[in-house]
Amino acid sequence: MFELKDVSKSFGEKSVLRGIYLKADGETVALMGESGSGKTTAMRIIAGLEKADGGEVIADGKTAVVFAEPRLFENASVIENITCVMERTMSKEEKSRLALELLDELLMSDAAYMYPSELSSGMAARVSIARALASGADNFLLDEPFGALDDAVREKVTAVAKDRLKGKSVLLITHSEGDAKALASRTLILSDGKISV
C-alpha cells in the first residue's frame, strides 16, 4: 500500500503538486495528465527519490520502479539484470528458471544472454518490466512502461503485467487511455497541481 496525503512540491517558484491525495491498496491506479504536470514527481515522492515539501507519504512494503527510460546495468546480461533483484534466499537455478519464464511470457526468450547495448528500445523496456515483476515487491510504480512497444507486443506485455500485478498496489503513469483501461481499476487526472477523477 502507498498513499500521498495532502502532498505539495515546488521547484523554485513553480508549484508542481498542490495538496494532492493519492492511494493504492491492492489495486492499480492510473495517473494521467499533460507532460510536465507532475506525474513523475508524484511517483518519485512515493519511491523516496524526491522529498515532498509538505504532507504525508506512506509506502508500506517493498517498492519496485519502472522508469520511463530503462535503467539497466550495462555490464550485465538480460537474465542477470532480472535475477539481481530476486530474493537472496532463492537458489541460482530457481532465479534463472523464474527469469526465463518471465522472458518467455514477454516474448524475449531469445534475448536472455544478450547485453543492454544489443537491445532495441522496446526490448530494453521489456527487460525493465521483467526486472520489476521479478522483484517480489508489494508496490509497483510504472512510468510509461509500454511507451516503446509496438502494438502487437504491447498488447501481450500489458496482459502479462495485468496478470502478474493482480492484488498488488500499482501506480501506472501513462498518456494512453488504452493502457489505463486495460490495467487500472480507476484513473486519476493530474492538472494544475491537483488530482481529479
Side-chain angles (χ1 to χ4, degrees):
M1 187 274 281
F2 56 82
E3 186 173 7
L4 298 180
K5 293 182 177 179
D6 196 24
V7 164
S8 298
K9 179 67 180 178
S10 296
F11 294 102
E13 294 187 4
K14 182 175 171 56
S15 178
V16 180
L17 303 175
R18 298 187 292 142
I20 68 166
Y21 289 84
L22 189 161
K23 180 179 180 180
D25 189 359
E27 64 174 329
T28 296
V29 176
L31 184 61
M32 301 184 72
E34 294 181 3
S35 295
S37 61
K39 303 183 301 295
T40 299
T41 299
M43 182 197 82
R44 288 176 61 84
I45 288 173
I46 296 167
L49 301 172
E50 200 79 62
K51 189 166 169 44
D53 296 335
E56 186 180 359
V57 183
I58 301 167
D60 291 336
K62 183 178 178 182
T63 299
V65 182
V66 175
F67 294 95
E69 68 292 330
R71 298 187 180 183
L72 305 178
F73 299 116
E74 291 295 329
N75 60 345
S77 66
V78 163
I79 196 167
E80 289 168 338
N81 263 283
I82 297 168
T83 56
C84 71
V85 300
M86 293 182 181
E87 297 292 337
R88 291 179 183 173
T89 53
M90 292 169 63
S91 69
K92 188 176 180 182
E93 292 73 21
E94 189 176 4
K95 287 181 180 180
S96 293
R97 182 182 63 77
L98 290 172
L100 290 170
E101 188 179 287
L102 255 175
L103 287 169
D104 185 51
E105 287 183 31
L106 296 171
L107 310 177
M108 283 196 61
S109 51
D110 293 344
Y113 299 99
M114 293 170 69
Y115 282 78
S117 61
E118 303 173 275
L119 304 177
S120 67
S121 58
M123 293 169 78
R126 279 180 278 165
V127 177
S128 185
I129 292 166
R131 183 169 62 185
L133 295 175
S135 67
D138 307 290
N139 306 316
F140 291 82
L141 308 174
L142 315 177
D143 192 354
E144 294 287 357
F146 315 119
L149 308 180
D150 63 44
D151 289 344
V153 171
R154 187 178 191 134
E155 189 175 334
K156 171 64 174 171
V157 173
T158 303
V160 171
K162 183 172 185 173
D163 181 57
R164 290 211 172 232
L165 293 172
K166 207 170 287 179
K168 303 292 186 178
S169 301
V170 184
L171 178 65
L172 170 67
I173 293 175
T174 183
H175 285 104
S176 166
E177 289 186 16
D179 290 347
K181 284 178 181 173
L183 280 176
S185 56
R186 56 197 173 96
T187 298
L188 305 175
I189 308 297
L190 181 56
S191 179
D192 294 327
K194 293 283 192 179
I195 283 181
S196 60
V197 177

